[in-house]
């Protein structure tokens, strides 16, 4: 009888352990809301990788080395454009949460403080410091190189681009005869599009919050964004330039594709408490996104899965990457200065003795300290 009792207790204990194990397996999965918390992801590292990707992509253009490899295999989607789209997807997630939680005035102040000070200083540094350096290295007459023609000089470069319109890229005669003479900083084009997305998503989020059924509003806007992006990718002049106050006229195809990436990120952020993060989903979405690039369907179809893939990668990367970019976010400075740094390197060194990968690696290394100064002296002072 005693032996039976011990056996019974042992069996009961084993059954309890099994039930507890089953309960553990049935626990709620990790959700995107957990991953989006500070220090719970490696999104800062991913942004830095994207900034480096933009520099790599631009190096082929700056050095006159033809099309960069990804462009040749993807029917037009360059590494730089892929990286910019990734930036917009990440911004959609983070900025969507900000628009949801902040008052409109505070939201706009924070967005302007994050973008404009660094941008304005980059205009001055690109136009004056890099312009003077390139002209001096090339042995040009400084007055003629920088101040003429009157409508394309250093002065007009700063003035015309000051409102974030990115309407002038050339810099007098400084770049004449170089492999890429059309602009001192070809990275600035995306900033008006990004700020336009800031404005539109604020209207959408506040409209949704004020409505009786916010989810219905968001789903409707998302569906409309997808339809418009599909139409924008059709051949032919379906849309013309989209005028934005101060920001200028934006290319409709670019805007609607980038807005779809941004809006998809914002949708994921809004439903963050209901969407689980899983390794299998991360691997599947990442693979599908990569397959859409050479298949010429990245815009718009790959964009729909890109935010989830990036957030999943940011979660499943080793924990040591989570600290990168949390105290010093160099990605914006890398993006702002990579192009003029590349132009200066080409002015100093004969580009025929270089190649795309070598110029890209050198540009990245040379841009890092400038990005650090941009963050330390300018950007972080306006973030609160």
């Amino acid at each position: 009888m005693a032996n039976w009792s011990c056996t019974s207790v042992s069996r009961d204990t084993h059954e309890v352990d099994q039930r507890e194990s089953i309960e553990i397996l049935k626990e709620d999965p990790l959700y995107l809301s957990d991953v989006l918390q500070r220090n719970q992801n490696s999104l800062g590292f991913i942004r830095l990788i994207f900034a480096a990707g933009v520099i790599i992509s631009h190096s082929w253009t700056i050095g006159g080395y033809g099309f960069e490899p990804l462009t040749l295999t993807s029917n037009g989607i360059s590494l730089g454009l892929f990286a910019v789209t990734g930036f917009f997807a990440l911004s959609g997630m983070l900025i969507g949460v900000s628009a949801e939680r902040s008052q409109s005035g505070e939201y706009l102040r924070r967005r302007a403080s994050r973008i404009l000070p660094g941008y304005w200083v980059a205009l001055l540094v690109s136009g004056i410091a890099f312009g003077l350096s390139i002209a001096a290295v090339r042995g040009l007459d400084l007055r003629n190189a920088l101040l003429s023609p009157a409508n394309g000089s250093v002065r007009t470069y700063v003035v015309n681009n000051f409102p974030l319109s990115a309407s002038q890229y050339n810099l007098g005669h400084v770049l004449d005869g170089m492999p890429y003479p059309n602009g001192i900083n070809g990275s600035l084009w995306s900033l008006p599009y990004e700020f336009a997305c800031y404005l539109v998503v604020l209207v959408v989020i506040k409209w949704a919050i004020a409505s009786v059924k916010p989810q219905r509003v968001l789903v409707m806007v998302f569906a409309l964004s997808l339809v418009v992006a599909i139409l924008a990718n059709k051949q032919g002049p379906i849309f013309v330039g989209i005028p934005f106050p101060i920001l200028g006229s934006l290319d409709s195809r670019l805007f609607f594709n980038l807005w779809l990436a941004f809006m998809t990120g914002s949708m994921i952020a809004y439903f963050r408490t209901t969407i689980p993060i899983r390794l299998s989903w991360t691997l599947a979405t990442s693979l599908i996104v990569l397959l859409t690039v050479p298949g010429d369907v990245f815009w718009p179809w790959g964009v729909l899965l890109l935010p989830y893939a990036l957030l999943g990668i940011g979660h499943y990367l080793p924990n040591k990457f989570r600290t990168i970019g949390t105290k010093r976010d160099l990605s914006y400075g890398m993006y702002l200065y990579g192009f003029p740094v590349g132009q200066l390197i080409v002015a100093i060194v004969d580009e025929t003795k270089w190649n795309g990968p070598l110029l890209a690696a050198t540009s990245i290394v040379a841009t890092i300290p400038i990005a650090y100064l941009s963050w330390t002296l300018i950007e972080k002072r306006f973030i609160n």
Side-chain angles (χ1 to χ4, degrees):
M1 184 72 175
N3 290 335
W4 180 88
S5 177
C6 291
T7 304
S8 177
V9 170
S10 175
R11 184 183 299 111
D12 290 344
T13 302
H14 179 66
E15 290 176 352
V16 169
D17 290 340
Q18 282 187 320
R19 286 197 298 271
E20 289 179 349
S21 299
I22 293 173
E23 289 301 320
I24 292 175
L25 293 175
K26 288 182 178 181
E27 285 182 355
D28 290 337
L30 196 66
Y31 287 94
L32 297 189
S33 56
D34 303 305
V35 180
L36 280 171
Q37 292 179 8
R38 186 175 178 84
N39 298 327
Q40 296 301 312
N41 58 69
S42 302
L43 298 186
F45 173 72
I46 293 176
R47 285 197 299 268
L48 203 59
I49 294 298
F50 281 152
V54 171
I55 295 176
I56 293 171
S57 178
H58 286 161
S59 296
W60 267 258
T61 300
I62 294 170
Y65 303 123
F67 294 106
E68 49 117 313
L70 183 59
T71 305
L72 296 176
T73 60
S74 66
N75 196 22
I77 301 294
S78 66
L79 177 61
L81 195 53
F82 180 89
V84 168
T85 308
F87 271 127
F88 275 69
L90 292 177
S91 293
M93 286 187 280
L94 302 176
I95 303 305
V97 174
S98 177
E100 177 187 345
R101 294 175 175 175
S102 305
Q103 296 295 324
S104 298
E106 181 66 12
Y107 167 86
L108 292 173
R109 185 192 67 79
R110 288 184 176 179
R111 300 284 66 76
S113 297
R114 184 64 184 99
I115 293 292
L116 294 178
Y119 167 76
W120 285 332
V121 172
L123 284 182
L124 293 172
V125 173
S126 298
I128 299 175
F130 279 93
L132 283 170
S133 299
I134 293 174
V137 166
R138 302 185 68 204
L140 304 176
D141 176 72
L142 297 183
R143 182 178 181 84
N144 178 65
L146 294 172
L147 301 182
S148 62
N151 61 345
S153 65
V154 170
R155 181 187 65 81
T156 57
Y157 175 79
V158 175
V159 172
N160 290 340
N161 293 326
F162 189 81
L164 203 65
S165 59
S167 58
Q168 178 184 331
Y169 291 91
N170 61 316
L171 198 64
H173 296 292
V174 171
L175 304 176
D176 289 359
M178 291 186 64
Y180 185 77
N182 300 325
I184 185 66
N185 197 341
S187 299
L188 302 183
W189 69 267
S190 70
L191 299 182
Y193 291 83
E194 184 169 1
F195 209 86
C197 288
Y198 292 169
L199 298 177
V200 176
V201 80
L202 175 63
V203 174
V204 172
I205 295 295
K206 294 306 181 186
W207 175 25
I209 292 175
S211 66
V212 178
K213 297 182 178 180
Q215 295 183 0
R216 179 175 297 180
V217 171
L218 291 175
V219 171
M220 179 186 67
V221 173
F222 174 75
L224 180 61
S225 301
L226 176 59
V227 171
V228 174
I230 293 172
L231 293 176
N233 284 285
K234 298 291 184 181
Q235 297 296 326
I238 297 177
F239 299 101
V240 295
I242 306 172
F244 271 89
I246 302 178
L247 301 178
S249 180
L250 306 183
D251 179 272
S252 59
R253 182 171 185 266
L254 272 173
F255 175 74
F256 288 127
N257 280 303
L258 293 174
W259 163 251
L260 181 62
F262 196 95
M263 182 60 190
T264 304
S266 296
M267 284 285 289
I268 284 180
Y270 186 84
F271 293 101
R272 59 190 178 277
T273 59
T274 60
I275 302 177
I277 188 76
R278 293 173 180 166
L279 180 59
S280 59
W281 292 12
T282 298
L283 294 174
T285 53
S286 300
L287 178 61
I288 294 172
V289 168
L290 292 177
L291 291 177
T292 62
V293 176
D296 197 25
V297 289
F298 174 69
W299 280 353
W301 304 114
V303 169
L304 298 178
L305 299 177
L306 183 60
Y308 185 93
L310 293 178
L311 195 55
I313 292 171
H315 172 64
Y316 287 109
L317 281 173
N319 291 344
K320 62 182 178 180
F321 291 108
R322 295 184 179 182
T323 59
I324 299 177
T326 55
K327 294 183 178 180
R328 301 179 185 89
D329 185 2
L330 305 187
S331 59
Y332 188 41
M334 293 282 289
Y335 185 82
L336 287 175
Y337 290 100
F339 202 102
V341 165
Q343 287 282 44
L344 179 58
I345 292 173
V346 169
I348 295 173
V349 183
D350 184 1
E351 72 278 358
T352 61
K353 299 178 181 179
W354 290 51
N355 53 42
L358 181 58
L359 178 58
T362 307
S363 297
I364 291 173
V365 172
T367 304
I368 290 175
I370 302 176
Y372 176 81
L373 291 176
S374 175
W375 168 257
T376 303
L377 301 179
I378 308 300
E379 298 169 46
K380 79 171 186 178
R381 298 179 181 274
F382 293 88
I383 298 176
N384 53 42

